[in-house]
RNA sequence: GACCCUAUCGUCUAGAGGCCUAGGACAAUACCCUUUCACGGUAUGAACCGGGGUUCGAAUCCCCGUGGGGUCGCCA
């Protein structure tokens, strides 16, 4: 049997980090076993689903490189099928009409809560042999409820959490079709997983309580029950639940913030899953190693610092050309065109092992392509008379030396000897003049990359 | 409140009864490297939630407590 997994987000918002990890694990499981990964959009909540959200999810998946083999399937396009199954269940007696209004249900819930009971439907419209049902009220459109078994337990061997057992007595007859005939989530999922031949349902922890209901429906339908695996949630950096207000940002925000997709993927893979001491690995390795046995069953706290470290790591090993392309885009957004200045790839090479993200890289690159304006205080503090004199000597030598690192370095050393100064005494003021800041990579490398004309021009502004 | 899940350094985790004086990584601290700042290297500190069992032996198994989380919709 080939493994078939699915990722089934509802398009009520962007793809956030928790959803991305769920998708990653479901994707990896299918890849690991040579199976298929299916994308399904659960858009039956018409009021909250938007096409923008669908696009945002697709964009997120695409950025991460989590390609699906089938779909995307849209539940709204499967309405006839759901209605067909509901009709079958009604005919078979595994579902029934219920005329209780929302208001009545609210009252029932309140009363149960006040009584410290678990709020649940009381089965008043559930047909039983020899039971007299209430009179059908006029003008009320009924909902359809699933006739859940009364006794026994529903048990499954969860891929992450192990054996879970829930008594049917805890479950009530949930609604599978609304008064307007629209099917509900717990029902659509079941029909879809069945029709799409899903063998392994890998989803968030918050669905554990839906699982017994879904299993019961599957069984009522005579369908094969898939294997379930429930991933525990991801907490925010501060250990509290992720919310729109903090942490639950779109994966595209990570792109915006200068993270590389492979860093995010590697980080996510390692959050809640492990392969011994492995920390840094490719997606190929991940797919090869991935298994349910090594998924942690408790919630994990997101740690931005570790993500930053991974991102810095991937930045260091990324190709200069790729990084130059990324940086150019970010510079362009700031209205900076690196075309006419120092060769971008060379500058990138100087900085890529010194930054944690692409925005920092762009920050570092910027002074190479704009007129830098160190503050008057900075100039006053660094450009003392002896330094100024030394820079003049240096300027003379630089104007005539061969323009490559070794020669530039030699010119520097000669200047130091001539002026009886130490390296930092000249290099730091020079950095301020050239780049507007006292720190930079090795000064000879910076000079080489910046180019003789530019170096002399920048120097002349202050000498 | 009921039901379900869960608990190892600050954080992510290794750990499937003896290999554990509990390992790795991020972060922290110190030192080294150095042409500044980084990078890098080396080193240090840092944890088995509590209580009972089971066993010759428990971080690992069981029970209770406590903490954390999830769910109880004509949302998904």
């Amino acid at each position: 049997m080939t493994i078939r997994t699915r990722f089934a987000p509802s398009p009520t918002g962007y793809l956030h980090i928790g959803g991305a990890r769920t998708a990653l694990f479901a994707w990896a499981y299918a890849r690991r076993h040579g199976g298929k990964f299916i994308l399904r959009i659960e858009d039956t909540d018409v009021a909250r689903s938007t096409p923008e959200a669908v696009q945002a999810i697709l964009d997120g998946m695409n950025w991460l490189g989590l390609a699906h083999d089938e779909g995307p399937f849209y539940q709204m396009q499967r309405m006839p099928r759901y209605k067909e199954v509901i009709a079958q269940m009604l005919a078979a007696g595994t579902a029934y009409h219920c005329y209780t209004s929302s208001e009545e249900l609210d009252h029932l819930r309140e009363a149960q809560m006040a009584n410290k009971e678990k709020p649940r439907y009381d089965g008043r419209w559930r047909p039983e042999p020899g039971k007299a049902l209430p009179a059908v009220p006029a003008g009320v459109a009924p909902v359809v409820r699933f006739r859940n078994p009364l006794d026994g337990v529903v048990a499954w061997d969860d891929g992450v959490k192990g054996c879970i057992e829930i008594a049917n007595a805890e479950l009530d007859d949930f609604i599978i079709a609304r008064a307007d005939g629209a099917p509900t989530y717990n029902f659509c999922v079941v029909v879809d997983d069945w029709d799409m031949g899903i063998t392994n349902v890998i989803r968030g922890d918050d669905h554990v309580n839906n699982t017994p209901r879904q299993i019961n429906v599957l069984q009522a339908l005579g369908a094969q029950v898939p294997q379930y695996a429930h991933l525990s949630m991801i907490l925010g950096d501060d250990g509290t639940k992720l919310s729109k207000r903090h942490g639950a940002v779109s994966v595209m925000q990570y792109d915006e913030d200068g993270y590389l997709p492979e860093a995010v993927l590697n980080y996510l893979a390692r959050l809640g899953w492990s392969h011994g001491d492995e920390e840094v690995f490719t997606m190929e390795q991940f797919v090869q190693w991935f298994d349910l046995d090594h998924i942690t069953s408790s919630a994990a706290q997101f740690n931005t610092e570790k993500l930053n470290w991974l991102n810095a790591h991937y930045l260091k090993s990324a190709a200069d050309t790729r990084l130059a392309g990324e940086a150019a885009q970010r510079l362009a957004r700031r209205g900076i065109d690196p075309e006419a200045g120092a060769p971008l790839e060379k500058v990138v090479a100087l900085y890529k092992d010194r930054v944690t993200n692409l925005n920092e890289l762009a920050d570092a690159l910027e002074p190479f392509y704009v007129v830098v304006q160190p503050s008057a205080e900075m100039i006053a503090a660094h450009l003392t008379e002896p330094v100024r004199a030394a820079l003049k000597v240096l300027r003379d030598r630089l104007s005539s030396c061969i323009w490559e690192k070794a020669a530039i370095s030699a010119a520097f050393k000669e200047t130091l000897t001539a002026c009886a100064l130490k390296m930092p005494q000249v290099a730091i003021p020079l950095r301020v003049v050239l780049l507007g800041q006292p720190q930079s990579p090795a000064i000879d490398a910076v000079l080489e990359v910046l180019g003789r004309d530019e170096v002399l021009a920048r120097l002349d502004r202050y000498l």
Side-chain angles (χ1 to χ4, degrees):
Chain A
M1 183 175 68
T2 66
I3 295 295
R4 294 171 64 82
T5 66
R6 43 70 157 188
F7 177 54
S10 65
T12 54
Y14 40 65
L15 177 65
H16 59 81
I17 213 71
R21 192 190 59 169
T22 303
L24 172 64
F25 284 12
W27 172 87
Y29 193 80
R31 288 281 175 281
R32 170 72 179 86
H33 295 96
K36 300 285 185 206
F37 176 59
I38 292 135
L39 180 60
R40 184 169 79 216
I41 306 293
E42 311 215 319
D43 53 357
T44 52
D45 185 351
V46 185
R48 295 198 301 150
S49 297
T50 65
E52 291 74 28
V54 172
Q55 193 51 51
I57 289 165
L58 261 21
D59 289 346
M61 295 289 283
N62 189 48
W63 184 68
L64 290 171
L66 300 179
H68 50 269
D69 302 301
E70 291 176 26
F73 296 109
Y74 295 84
Q75 290 188 321
M76 284 307 283
Q77 292 173 7
R78 291 177 40 77
M79 283 303 143
R81 171 59 177 153
Y82 303 137
K83 292 191 173 158
E84 176 190 7
V85 178
I86 287 168
Q88 279 170 16
M89 291 176 73
L90 248 10
T94 52
Y96 62 92
H97 289 296
C98 167
Y99 293 84
T100 314
S101 69
S102 303
E103 294 71 38
E104 287 175 287
L105 249 20
D106 288 344
H107 289 140
L108 179 65
R109 258 193 290 276
E110 278 170 35
Q112 287 167 328
M113 293 281 243
N115 229 359
K116 297 205 189 293
E117 286 168 34
K118 184 171 181 168
R120 57 209 299 275
Y121 175 65
D122 61 4
R124 61 182 72 170
W125 287 92
R126 178 183 172 113
E128 299 288 1
K131 172 181 168 186
L133 261 22
V136 174
V140 175
V143 299
V144 179
R145 286 186 183 270
F146 173 63
R147 200 168 185 284
N148 198 78
L150 261 14
D151 318 302
V153 295
V154 190
W156 76 95
D157 187 15
D158 196 274
V160 174
K161 297 178 183 292
C163 198
I164 300 180
E165 210 178 78
I166 299 200
N168 273 319
E170 292 294 328
L171 273 21
D172 62 359
D173 290 349
F174 68 101
I175 293 171
I176 60 175
R178 303 174 175 96
D180 64 2
T184 60
Y185 166 77
N186 266 313
F187 178 74
C188 297
V189 167
V190 163
V191 176
D192 287 347
D193 285 343
W194 181 27
D195 286 354
M196 295 171 193
I198 302 301
T199 59
N200 297 77
V201 173
I202 298 173
R203 65 196 345 177
D205 216 345
D206 48 336
H207 290 287
V208 168
N209 293 276
N210 291 324
T211 306
R213 298 176 196 283
Q214 293 177 7
I215 290 175
N216 279 338
V217 176
L218 248 5
Q219 280 169 344
L221 254 20
Q224 173 86 35
V225 176
Q227 298 279 307
Y228 292 95
H230 290 95
L231 274 20
S232 48
M233 67 182 314
I234 297 176
L235 270 23
D237 241 329
D238 57 358
T240 62
K241 194 186 164 184
L242 284 179
S243 72
K244 289 272 156 64
R245 279 189 56 247
H246 86 277
V249 294
S250 163
V251 293
M252 296 314 286
Q253 184 65 42
Y254 288 89
D255 178 26
E256 194 69 25
D257 291 347
Y259 290 96
L260 260 18
E262 61 265 45
V264 173
L265 249 10
N266 193 153
Y267 178 72
L268 249 23
R270 207 43 204 75
L271 191 61
W273 174 84
S274 62
H275 183 74
D277 289 339
E278 301 290 345
E279 295 288 350
V280 180
F281 42 80
T282 63
M283 278 300 104
E284 286 69 35
Q285 289 173 302
F286 177 54
V287 164
Q288 219 168 84
W289 295 335
F290 186 69
D291 62 347
L292 264 25
D293 291 346
H294 291 86
I295 292 178
T296 321
S297 45
S298 56
Q301 191 169 318
F302 194 89
N303 186 218
T304 306
E305 288 183 324
K306 189 159 180 181
L307 205 215
N308 286 343
W309 169 74
L310 269 170
N311 203 50
H313 169 85
Y314 281 103
L315 241 19
K316 275 178 215 131
S317 48
D320 295 346
T321 45
R322 173 185 173 198
L323 261 20
E326 292 285 351
Q329 280 182 33
R330 281 162 209 268
L331 287 173
R333 272 185 245 158
R334 305 176 184 192
I336 296 166
D337 178 13
E339 204 50 45
L344 193 54
E345 281 182 36
K346 292 239 162 51
V347 190
V348 161
L350 242 35
Y351 282 94
K352 68 174 182 178
D353 58 359
R354 310 168 67 85
V355 297
T356 24
N357 64 59
L358 293 168
N359 290 332
E360 281 182 13
L361 181 62
D363 290 345
L365 267 33
E366 198 173 308
F368 284 76
Y369 304 101
V370 298
V371 177
V372 297
Q373 285 168 317
S375 66
E377 295 79 50
M378 253 185 143
I379 292 297
H382 290 283
L383 282 198
T384 58
E385 266 322 305
V387 166
R388 207 177 278 269
L391 287 181
K392 280 184 179 144
V393 174
L394 179 66
R395 189 207 183 283
D396 281 347
R397 296 190 188 271
L398 289 179
S399 65
S400 59
C401 76
I402 300 168
W403 202 256
E404 53 93 13
K405 220 166 101 179
I408 293 169
S409 191
F412 225 105
K413 298 236 164 78
E414 288 159 23
T415 305
L416 294 179
T417 312
C419 303
L421 289 171
K422 296 283 188 200
M423 189 65 161
Q425 291 176 295
V426 179
I428 293 177
L430 181 59
R431 288 182 170 103
V432 169
V433 167
L434 260 25
L435 301 172
Q437 54 201 27
Q439 287 96 36
S440 84
I443 193 69
D444 48 0
V446 168
L447 293 182
E448 183 188 44
V449 166
L450 197 51
R452 190 197 318 260
D453 293 348
E454 190 64 26
V455 167
L456 296 184
R458 290 186 184 206
L459 262 175
D460 288 343
R461 285 208 285 272
Y462 293 94
L463 293 185

